[in-house]
Amino acid sequence: MTLTDLRYLIALARERHFGRAAEKCHVSQPTLSVAIKKIEEELGVQLFERSATEVKITATGRRIVSQAEKVLLEAAQIPEIASAGRDPLAGPLRLGVIFTIGPYLLPRLIPRVHRLAPRMPLIIQENYTARLAEALKRGELDVVILSLPFAEPGIVAQPVYDEPFRVLMPAAHPWHGQERIDPDMLAEEQLLLLGAGNCFRDQVLEVCPHCRNVSGLQRTLEGSSLETIRHMVATGLGVTVLPSSAADELPAQNPLVAVRPFAAPEPSRRVALAWRVTYPRSGAIDVLRTAILESALPGVRPIGRVTTVETAEAP
């Protein structure tokens, strides 16, 4: 049994289809089928139930696939450890970012990372927290930027900054004369939210518990992204809650909207870096943290000091 065989096994377990699994592995379907049969014969146990319409993994197969994922993850650490021994700031860093952080942080972050580590390009994936967590555990990502709380076995989560929430409203809204907005006032308005499954939506509903009422939710509208919601507010459709990085600079760019802070205690989210305990390139994590704090997002409060990182020289 080889590492390649294990990759075939994992691909079939995920795709539940020989053709799609073979495509994922960039091999022919007969090649993958022979490899799976060879593994089953070697182990003396059936891993998959095959029918004309579907492929199901057996209970034993599920346990073996889980172990295979661990084996591949550990094997992938070998070149990473060697690379870190040579230079932790050389080679790509696979970075995951949640949707409500990426568009506002990345334009500031990327040039700072490039200045600090010019030989460390970023391979970036934006996604939901749950999907980024799975990719991190499988070794498909090196580090992710997300909002706490977040707890996964074998994963380190290090807070980086706190970010307050803001109320975004049409410029002609009656609240324009208010210096600060009480969260309970949101239940009285047409509240624009992200769709279900987004952690920022859940955080907004925690800010305004009354908005969880059926009558309140019936008066909400959903958007696919914070950018879409910002545009809807500008048309006068309603109000929304945004992180300060997405809100504070808007009035200067768009005279159709206004931004107000919340009344104390000001609601906020805590943003963190998360990576596997076994990830060997600690220097790359340090550079990323420094670059995030140097990005000075509007309204955020850093947790800890900015660490001085010596700028790497390009060859």
Side-chain angles (χ1 to χ4, degrees), residues 168-172 176 226-236 242 246-260:
L168 183 72
M169 66 189 78
H176 190 275
L226 292 185
E227 290 299 296
T228 299
I229 290 176
R230 297 197 315 183
H231 292 309
M232 289 195 291
V233 171
T235 69
L242 297 177
D248 284 7
E249 297 179 346
L250 269 181
Q253 304 166 5
N254 188 345
L256 296 177
V257 298
V259 175
R260 292 293 181 272

Side-chain angles (χ1 to χ4, degrees), residues 18-233:
F18 278 92
R20 291 195 299 269
E23 186 177 345
K24 289 283 185 180
C25 296
H26 306 290
V27 297
S28 67
Q29 183 172 329
T31 297
L32 186 134
S33 298
V34 169
I36 298 298
K37 185 177 180 180
K38 183 189 76 171
I39 295 172
E40 290 181 323
E41 291 176 349
E42 182 177 337
L43 297 177
V45 65
Q46 185 177 358
L47 304 179
F48 297 94
E49 298 177 16
R50 302 149 173 91
S51 72
T53 57
E54 62 181 344
V55 176
K56 291 184 178 179
I57 188 168
T58 65
T60 300
R62 192 174 295 109
R63 294 177 59 191
I64 290 175
V65 167
S66 177
Q67 188 63 36
E69 290 175 335
K70 296 176 184 177
V71 170
L72 288 184
L73 183 59
E74 291 300 319
Q77 297 291 321
I78 294 174
E80 289 185 352
I81 291 171
S83 176
R86 296 190 298 270
D87 183 356
L89 303 185
L93 182 72
R94 298 168 298 177
L95 173 66
V97 191
I98 60 175
F99 289 121
T100 58
I101 292 178
Y104 316 105
L105 174 61
L106 291 176
R108 298 167 181 256
L109 177 71
I110 289 171
R112 288 168 173 82
V113 170
H114 183 69
R115 175 178 59 82
L116 294 170
R119 298 191 300 275
M120 189 177 75
L122 299 180
I123 302 174
I124 299 168
Q125 178 186 148
E126 280 189 287
N127 217 317
Y128 297 107
T129 299
R131 293 177 182 172
L132 293 177
E134 287 303 314
L136 183 62
K137 288 187 290 185
R138 290 197 298 261
E140 297 170 2
L141 292 173
D142 299 321
V143 58
V144 300
I145 304 172
L146 42 71
S147 177
L148 297 178
F150 177 80
E152 291 284 348
I155 303 296
V156 178
Q158 182 187 77
V160 181
Y161 62 82
D162 289 327
E163 181 172 22
F165 296 164
R166 308 292 196 220
V167 177
L168 183 72
M169 66 189 78
H173 196 279
W175 291 353
H176 190 275
Q178 300 268 0
E179 290 187 6
R180 292 183 175 270
I181 306 300
D182 189 292
D184 289 340
M185 296 168 62
L186 295 175
E188 304 168 3
E189 291 293 316
Q190 180 103 289
L191 180 62
L192 281 61
L193 295 172
L194 289 171
N198 194 295
C199 63
F200 189 72
R201 171 196 174 96
D202 297 334
Q203 291 169 340
V204 171
L205 292 176
E206 289 177 6
V207 170
C208 178
H210 296 301
C211 294
R212 294 182 181 274
N213 298 334
V214 174
S215 59
L217 288 176
Q218 285 176 343
R219 292 187 289 110
T220 65
L221 293 172
E222 294 183 354
S224 59
S225 70
L226 292 185
E227 290 299 296
T228 299
I229 290 176
R230 297 197 315 183
H231 292 309
M232 289 195 291
V233 171

